[in-house]
Amino acid sequence: MSTQPPETAPAEGRVRDPQRTRAEILDVATSEFAANGYAGARVDEIAAKTRTTKRMIYYYFQSKQGLYLAVLEQAYSVIRSLERQVDVEHLDPLAALRQLAELTFDHHESHPDFIRLVSIENIHGAKHLAQSEMLPSLSAPVPELIGRILERGWAAGVLREDVDALDVHMLISSYCVFRIANRHTWSTIFGRDMLDPGRRAHHRAMLGDMVVEYLSKR
């Protein structure tokens, strides 16, 4: 078997850009897996919606499971890269925590496929994600980031000391994930759309206030 990818698209005769092709496959696959789950998504359908072939998909990702894992890794990498934008060293610890909470709020609202993918992977017991060679880099940044904020807050005497980084991460994530994951059932039961643009600023501020109020040392 050749170790080189096909250089041209058979039907079009165009030279392919490998990075662009891979990115296009991942973009379409993200939507397909998020909409249909791991079992329901079809590689043939993903190929049909890209400017490539099923053979090319298997060249880049080896299998459907490999493609799904790459989708998960990319989805987690996006939020991890955004979290690193928080100015831990110069912001007041409470301001840094508020910024992190609001950043997570904004990301989850603008990336509903991420929430669906996380829900799907939980249904599968995280068995695919557990095989990721990138898992340490996907899991380590956020507790390290929050840990540094907490340490500065403890040193300054402004943050409570009976919580750890994962407690804070859970507090923020639970609010942001619930708002997206349960939008439709919540709307059906209570008649309120949690993503109503008119309530967005209120919900965003509510999250920041909740985090700051809970973590402030009294």
Side-chain angles (χ1 to χ4, degrees):
M1 179 182 296
S2 172
T3 59
Q4 297 297 321
E7 295 183 353
T8 59
E12 301 161 0
R14 292 183 290 105
V15 175
R16 288 191 177 278
D17 177 340
Q19 290 186 334
R20 180 178 178 181
T21 299
R22 192 176 190 279
E24 182 184 19
I25 293 168
L26 283 174
D27 184 54
V28 173
T30 295
S31 298
E32 288 297 307
F33 283 120
N36 301 300
Y38 177 75
R42 296 286 180 266
V43 176
D44 285 327
E45 186 68 16
I46 294 169
K49 292 182 178 180
T50 61
R51 293 172 295 176
T52 188
T53 63
K54 186 175 180 179
R55 174 171 170 249
M56 182 76 80
I57 291 174
Y58 283 128
Y59 171 81
Y60 283 113
F61 303 100
Q62 289 74 57
S63 64
K64 178 182 178 181
Q65 181 174 342
L67 175 58
Y68 175 66
L69 181 56
V71 165
L72 287 174
E73 290 173 339
Q74 176 174 266
Y76 274 99
S77 295
V78 170
I79 181 62
R80 295 291 92 94
S81 65
L82 288 174
E83 288 162 348
R84 284 191 282 269
Q85 296 177 14
V86 177
D87 188 355
V88 175
E89 304 304 327
H90 300 97
L91 280 177
D92 170 84
L94 287 169
L97 288 167
R98 181 183 290 274
Q99 185 183 86
L100 177 63
E102 293 175 346
L103 180 151
T104 305
F105 181 97
D106 293 342
H107 170 272
H108 286 14
E109 182 179 80
S110 61
H111 294 79
D113 281 354
F114 172 71
I115 306 302
R116 286 191 283 269
L117 288 167
V118 171
S119 299
I120 291 164
E121 185 58 7
N122 273 286
I123 290 172
H124 289 282
K127 67 179 183 181
H128 301 99
L129 192 59
Q131 299 177 38
S132 171
E133 295 180 359
M134 292 177 59
L135 189 57
S137 64
L138 296 177
S139 59
V142 66
E144 290 177 357
L145 171 71
I146 298 173
R148 286 162 55 204
I149 298 173
L150 291 177
E151 287 173 2
R152 290 186 63 237
W154 294 333
V158 298
L159 295 183
R160 62 190 300 167
E161 299 174 1
D162 60 342
V163 296
D164 64 19
L166 288 180
D167 289 333
V168 178
H169 183 46
M170 180 176 65
L171 177 66
I172 295 171
S173 292
S174 59
Y175 182 101
C176 297
V177 170
F178 182 93
R179 183 169 170 267
I180 307 302
N182 296 282
R183 175 188 185 184
H184 299 295
T185 52
W186 187 271
S187 177
T188 299
I189 295 170
F190 298 110
R192 175 180 288 181
D193 182 0
M194 287 189 285
L195 269 64
D196 178 354
R199 301 188 68 83
R200 184 183 189 277
H202 169 69
H203 287 161
R204 192 173 186 266
M206 188 165 70
L207 170 62
D209 292 345
M210 178 176 66
V211 171
V212 167
E213 177 65 21
Y214 176 71
L215 292 172
S216 295
K217 188 172 184 178
R218 291 174 174 79

